[in-house]
Amino acid sequence: NFLGMECGYINTGQSDEERKDNYSKDITYATNSELGFDYLRDNMKFSEQEMVQRQHNYAIVDEIDSCLIDEARTPLIISGAAEDKTSQYVAINKLVKSLNNSDFEIDEKDKNILLTNKGIDNIEKIFSNAGILKNNNFYDPENLHLVHHVNQALRANHLFQNGRDYIVKDGQVIIIDEQTGRQLPGRRFGDGLHQSLEAKEKLNINSENQTLASITYQNFFKLYKKLAGCTGTAQTESEEFFEIYNLSVVSIPTNKKMIRKDWNDQIFRTSKEKDEAIIKKIIECNKLGQPLLVFTSSINKSEHYSQLLNEKKIIHTVLNAKNHEKEAEIIANAGQKKSIIITTSISGRGVDIKLGGQNEKEKGDIKKLGGLFVIGTERMESRRVDNQARGRSGRQGDEGNSIFFVSLDDDLMRIFGTESMNNILEKLGLKDGESIDHPWINKALERAQQKVEARNFDIRKTLLKFDNVLNDQRHVIFSQRNQVINNKNEKNYSNDFLEEILIHLKTLKSKSLGKNSSNDFLIQLKSLLGKSFNEEEIEKLVNLSDDEFQNTILNKFSEMRNQRYKIIGEAQNLELEKRIFLQLIDQNWKMHIQYLEQLRQVIGLRSYGQRDPLVEYKKEAFKLFEILLNKLKNDLVKILFNLKIVEKTDEDEDNEIEKKSEKKINENFNQLSSKKIGRNEPCPCKSGKKYKHCCGSL
């Protein structure tokens, strides 16, 4: 404001008018998801006036690694309700719960579950008895929907944990952000997984959704002509920033010298020994009065350590997604004497922790004690997340300490660790409760994390390569939509499309001469013309020369349009044609996205035939896109050929009035069923009469 610039912000719950006003400012503050969803929604609007965003010129992304790397594996999706399959989710959830551990194998690395041969036999037996299995084969093409439901129910029951991946609040499954530990209200897992979780938790099942529009953060932020960002933890991902976004990472030195002491990790064999050591360390620091921030990987783990401290009668605060509303207040006091906060990665960013909290006098005492002590209860999958936890301590040249406790039972060690680590510990002959503290072990842990990071980078790169195919097509469709919206003369499109179709029909006509009348040419011609030509007129058309054939159809097309002009006027008709075309683009694009989603799920099988799945996907997607563009042209011309506007008669208007009054009476009855009204009170239909002389008399 001081520099004479106007600022606006985008928040959930704002109307389109408020959003448009805020986007028109010189600088607009917004969260990444709001920006992405507004972009997708704008490309579903019917006029330029309804759109809220301007051009994508320049974006500065705060915590850029969190936004463009951590969240890049999951695309933003706008979805609409699809067919209701509630009963199927409930039934299949019961079936999955009856399976034994030997019926499936869990792949924790890829968050996937595979049925064993025994499991497939069991499922086929149960489905056959229930009469819902076709052709006695679970993997028969006609049973693909069952395969999909079973896979999602298995994932919901055995891979997704309440308190880690989601929580149940007010009768709803609310997703927990895997990186920030915060709630994501309003977001739903796609592809039927959310419904499977609702069935697992015995909640009301909301109808399944279908994708209407989607984009990844990578491709959304690449729309900006210039892109920059800032974060404290980008150095470990510099390769990815350069390869995906062409952004160089520049490391800025700290304002004051960093004097925090980062201790070597303490490695234990079992989680029980590790927990005992963590509680011992907490008690030791707390007796001195040193403030503590204890980082855990999930809500469940934070509650586990809280319970252990309660057993020791130690006062502490828990900060996780269940009470994130108080985050700023809790973190503001995290630097006070004797403060113990057990948290998830929710407090990894955003609010500075001041030593002494609100009480500046305490600052000197706490500096003498060594500042804020950060304790990590395990190593996370990413070194950046660990660095964020460490970075809460030792800010602006303050004293600080950090240490991580690790056991071989931790997820990272169990899934990605090496056998050599276990062998080293065994050779050292560690006794119960003993730990090892050595730089070699830290290096081994770092290698395990690098493995995970490399794997996640590959996932994001693959996602981007596949999404780039869709992205090129998305640009074509969205720019086509914008051209239609900004075009003042809609008939140019339909006339051009009709001429293209007629060129194709004339080619078919010349090929079909002298052949049976039920040929491809006649089928396509009748499909295009619909009822605008009768059988006799179509027979005459076929026998005309190419020029006469084309002119007759073009004249009929203009005649149909002129009839509409007489009834609603030229401007109104052009607006109507524009709306029809935009709706056709949206409907066909929605179906196209679903085809590509299904194609992507199965294209990997082509690798068994020594073919590159990505190359195959590009080929198939290109063919499907050509079909989509041709279908759009045909559908628009077909509809306009057969579109008639009928003027309302007095009788129609009378019927309309009667329907409205019936609707009003039904509304009144609904009101009466929920509320008792005195006979002498005013009638709820607002007729001005008393209830007994109005609706009450009905």
Side-chain angles (χ1 to χ4, degrees):
N1 288 340
F2 175 74
L3 293 169
M5 301 184 98
E6 286 191 330
C7 298
Y9 68 91
I10 304 297
N11 218 333
T12 47
Q14 284 180 336
S15 65
D16 278 3
E17 291 77 21
E18 288 174 300
R19 285 171 187 268
K20 192 167 187 175
D21 180 50
N22 282 305
Y23 276 120
S24 69
K25 309 288 188 196
D26 299 312
I27 297 170
T28 307
Y29 293 87
T31 58
N32 50 0
S33 59
E34 288 295 323
L35 289 171
F37 283 130
D38 277 341
Y39 170 72
L40 291 175
R41 281 191 287 260
D42 272 359
N43 285 289
M44 295 166 77
K45 299 279 173 64
F46 289 101
S47 72
E48 200 176 2
Q49 290 72 36
E50 292 173 9
M51 293 182 181
V52 297
Q53 285 190 348
R54 296 189 293 161
Q55 285 183 312
H56 301 91
N57 290 313
Y58 187 30
I60 302 177
V61 185
D62 190 22
E63 307 294 5
I64 193 167
D65 58 324
S66 174
C67 175
L68 297 193
I69 291 177
D70 295 332
E71 296 185 36
R73 277 183 286 172
T74 314
L76 291 170
I77 292 171
I78 287 181
S79 51
E83 188 187 346
D84 185 14
K85 298 172 183 168
T86 304
S87 55
Q88 290 182 24
Y89 285 110
V90 174
I92 287 170
N93 184 64
K94 282 180 185 169
L95 157 74
V96 162
K97 278 188 166 31
S98 70
L99 294 176
N100 301 316
N101 289 342
S102 57
D103 290 332
F104 51 83
E105 290 171 355
I106 299 176
D107 178 0
E108 288 185 88
K109 279 188 187 179
D110 292 325
K111 275 215 163 187
N112 205 0
I113 290 194
L114 300 170
L115 286 165
T116 60
N117 288 337
K118 182 173 173 282
I120 294 165
D121 291 343
N122 279 347
I123 283 177
E124 284 181 344
K125 197 170 160 187
I126 295 165
F127 280 168
S128 294
N129 292 341
I132 54 174
L133 189 74
K134 291 177 182 169
N135 304 329
N136 293 321
N137 179 0
F138 182 52
Y139 287 103
D140 188 276
E142 288 193 52
N143 297 318
L144 280 180
H145 67 290
L146 289 177
V147 176
H148 172 71
H149 278 321
V150 168
N151 286 340
Q152 294 296 45
L154 281 166
R155 290 179 73 214
N157 279 279
H158 299 287
L159 280 173
F160 284 76
Q161 276 183 30
N162 187 345
R164 185 188 69 189
D165 305 292
Y166 65 92
I167 58 169
V168 175
K169 184 180 177 185
D170 302 328
Q172 291 184 315
V173 169
I174 294 177
I175 301 172
I176 298 295
D177 188 309
E178 141 183 45
Q179 298 298 330
T180 66
R182 291 182 169 89
Q183 292 179 23
L184 298 174
R187 299 261 195 109
R188 291 176 68 79
F189 290 116
D191 220 17
L193 177 60
H194 213 93
Q195 286 77 7
S196 298
L197 288 168
E198 286 167 338
K200 169 190 169 184
E201 299 292 344
K202 298 186 173 64
L203 303 171
N204 284 336
I205 297 171
N206 291 300
S207 59
E208 200 171 317
N209 291 330
Q210 57 185 353
T211 302
L212 304 179
S214 76
I215 194 167
T216 57
Y217 280 128
Q218 288 118 313
N219 277 322
F220 172 69
F221 280 103
K222 279 180 171 183
L223 294 171
Y224 287 91
K225 296 184 182 100
K226 287 191 176 183
L227 182 64
C230 42
T231 174
T233 47
Q235 204 65 57
T236 54
E237 313 302 324
S238 55
E239 184 193 339
E240 183 163 352
F241 275 118
F242 191 75
E243 193 172 326
I244 305 287
Y245 303 101
N246 199 26
L247 292 174
S248 300
V249 173
V250 179
S251 189
I252 300 170
T254 54
N255 180 35
K256 293 182 180 176
K257 192 183 174 190
M258 170 63 72
I259 58 170
R260 182 186 67 231
K261 182 150 189 180
D262 297 327
W263 300 87
N264 283 332
D265 296 359
Q266 298 288 313
I267 318 287
F268 294 85
R269 278 186 311 180
T270 66
S271 54
K272 186 174 181 294
E273 293 169 59
K274 180 187 79 169
D275 289 352
E276 285 168 0
I278 289 169
I279 299 301
K280 187 180 171 187
K281 186 71 181 171
I282 291 171
I283 292 169
E284 183 188 307
C285 294
N286 187 243
K287 278 181 180 170
L288 298 171
Q290 190 172 11
L292 285 150
L293 196 57
V294 183
F295 274 86
T296 63
S297 61
S298 67
I299 294 173
N300 290 347
K301 294 271 174 74
S302 67
E303 288 175 350
H304 165 68
Y305 286 104
S306 173
Q307 192 182 340
L308 292 177
L309 286 180
N310 283 334
E311 286 168 10
K312 300 281 184 185
K313 296 187 168 51
I314 294 169
I315 298 165
H316 62 279
T317 306
V318 178
L319 172 61
N320 58 34
K322 289 184 178 176
N323 65 343
H324 68 108
E325 303 85 6
K326 299 175 186 171
E327 180 185 349
E329 180 194 332
I330 291 169
I331 290 298
N333 296 313
Q336 284 180 347
K337 255 190 183 180
K338 286 191 169 286
S339 163
I340 301 176
I341 294 173
I342 296 175
T343 181
T344 54
S345 49
I346 192 167
S347 62
R349 300 175 181 269
V351 187
D352 244 346
I353 296 175
K354 292 179 182 173
L355 297 185
Q358 311 296 335
N359 185 352
E360 281 293 315
K361 291 174 188 173
E362 274 188 13
K363 186 172 182 178
D365 296 342
I366 289 165
K367 282 169 83 78
K368 284 175 193 167
L369 291 169
L372 178 70
F373 207 127
V374 169
I375 294 177
T377 59
E378 65 184 274
R379 282 285 188 171
M380 306 297 177
E381 281 192 4
S382 163
R383 284 172 296 163
R384 280 181 307 105
V385 178
D386 292 342
N387 290 341
Q388 286 159 21
R390 279 200 153 126
R392 307 308 279 131
S393 175
R395 315 275 269 199
Q396 293 294 334
D398 282 342
E399 285 77 4
N401 287 268
S402 75
I403 190 167
F404 281 85
F405 289 81
V406 181
S407 84
L408 296 185
D409 295 337
D410 293 348
D411 289 347
L412 179 75
M413 303 306 294
R414 196 168 43 78
I415 302 169
F416 298 98
T418 57
E419 283 299 312
S420 59
M421 179 96 65
N422 199 9
N423 294 339
I424 291 168
L425 294 184
E426 277 182 12
K427 279 176 189 171
L428 290 167
L430 282 183
K431 293 173 188 169
D432 282 354
E434 278 187 349
S435 69
I436 183 167
D437 160 4
H438 198 282
W440 283 0
I441 300 287
N442 282 24
K443 283 285 175 202
L445 276 166
E446 204 168 294
R447 279 196 296 274
Q449 287 177 312
Q450 281 168 343
K451 264 194 219 171
V452 185
E453 285 163 7
R455 208 176 132 275
N456 288 342
F457 183 20
D458 283 342
I459 291 169
R460 289 190 289 270
K461 260 202 300 196
T462 306
L463 175 77
L464 186 61
K465 281 175 186 170
F466 277 92
D467 191 62
N468 281 342
V469 178
L470 179 61
N471 196 47
D472 295 339
Q473 297 181 3
R474 188 190 293 118
H475 279 309
V476 173
I477 289 292
F478 284 1
S479 59
Q480 171 95 57
R481 253 188 132 270
N482 286 331
Q483 282 171 22
V484 173
I485 285 169
N486 297 319
N487 186 26
K488 302 291 180 245
N489 195 356
E490 176 53 38
K491 66 181 178 186
N492 290 349
Y493 276 111
S494 43
N495 287 352
D496 291 348
F497 289 167
L498 179 56
E499 283 176 16
E500 281 180 43
I501 292 165
L502 289 173
I503 290 167
H504 170 67
L505 281 173
K506 282 190 288 184
T507 310
L508 282 179
K509 181 172 176 277
S510 60
K511 285 180 184 175
S512 67
L513 284 173
K515 291 183 182 177
N516 192 315
S517 60
S518 65
N519 57 46
D520 197 27
F521 161 67
L522 262 181
I523 292 166
Q524 288 191 32
L525 180 65
K526 285 178 180 177
S527 169
L528 176 75
L529 303 177
K531 293 178 182 174
S532 53
F533 284 77
N534 60 34
E535 285 289 334
E536 198 178 311
E537 288 171 324
I538 286 175
E539 273 183 42
K540 283 181 186 174
L541 263 178
V542 174
N543 297 317
L544 294 172
S545 68
D546 280 0
D547 286 347
E548 286 176 318
F549 171 79
Q550 179 164 333
N551 290 334
T552 308
I553 292 174
L554 285 172
N555 290 338
K556 184 70 175 178
F557 194 65
S558 297
E559 187 189 316
M560 300 290 286
R561 181 176 272 140
N562 289 333
Q563 282 176 10
R564 296 196 295 273
Y565 284 173
K566 285 177 188 172
I567 299 171
I568 58 172
E570 187 172 350
Q572 195 72 24
N573 181 68
L574 290 176
E575 184 58 34
L576 176 66
E577 289 187 18
K578 186 183 282 190
R579 286 271 169 152
I580 289 168
F581 192 22
L582 290 172
Q583 284 186 356
L584 281 172
I585 291 173
D586 292 346
Q587 283 168 8
N588 283 289
W589 177 242
K590 177 179 75 179
M591 287 165 67
H592 181 69
I593 290 173
Q594 285 163 14
Y595 289 147
L596 288 185
E597 272 180 13
Q598 288 159 4
L599 175 66
R600 195 156 131 191
Q601 284 173 15
V602 298
I603 202 79
L605 297 172
R606 303 240 177 133
S607 60
Y608 291 118
Q610 307 303 310
R611 294 179 188 174
D612 183 340
L614 182 62
V615 173
E616 292 293 302
Y617 180 74
K618 283 179 180 175
K619 282 184 194 169
E620 295 284 348
F622 183 71
K623 281 184 204 165
L624 285 169
F625 194 60
E626 278 190 319
I627 293 166
L628 165 73
L629 295 178
N630 286 327
K631 190 172 184 302
L632 273 175
K633 292 170 190 174
N634 279 296
D635 285 357
L636 179 65
V637 173
K638 235 184 261 184
I639 288 173
L640 295 183
F641 243 122
N642 294 282
L643 180 66
K644 285 184 182 175
I645 292 167
V646 182
E647 291 183 90
K648 266 189 185 176
T649 63
D650 291 343
E651 194 180 331
D652 290 332
E653 284 185 12
D654 289 344
N655 289 339
E656 195 90 359
I657 291 163
E658 200 173 315
K659 278 179 188 170
K660 278 183 181 173
S661 69
E662 266 182 46
K663 187 183 172 194
K664 189 72 195 170
I665 289 167
N666 287 334
E667 281 173 9
N668 295 341
F669 273 121
N670 288 339
Q671 272 187 284
L672 300 181
S673 65
S674 60
K675 178 186 172 189
K676 293 214 170 172
I677 295 174
R679 288 177 56 71
N680 290 314
E681 284 183 34
C683 192
C685 74
K686 295 179 182 165
S687 62
K689 297 178 185 177
K690 286 183 180 178
Y691 171 59
K692 65 181 176 185
H693 297 309
C694 190
C695 294
S697 63
L698 299 170

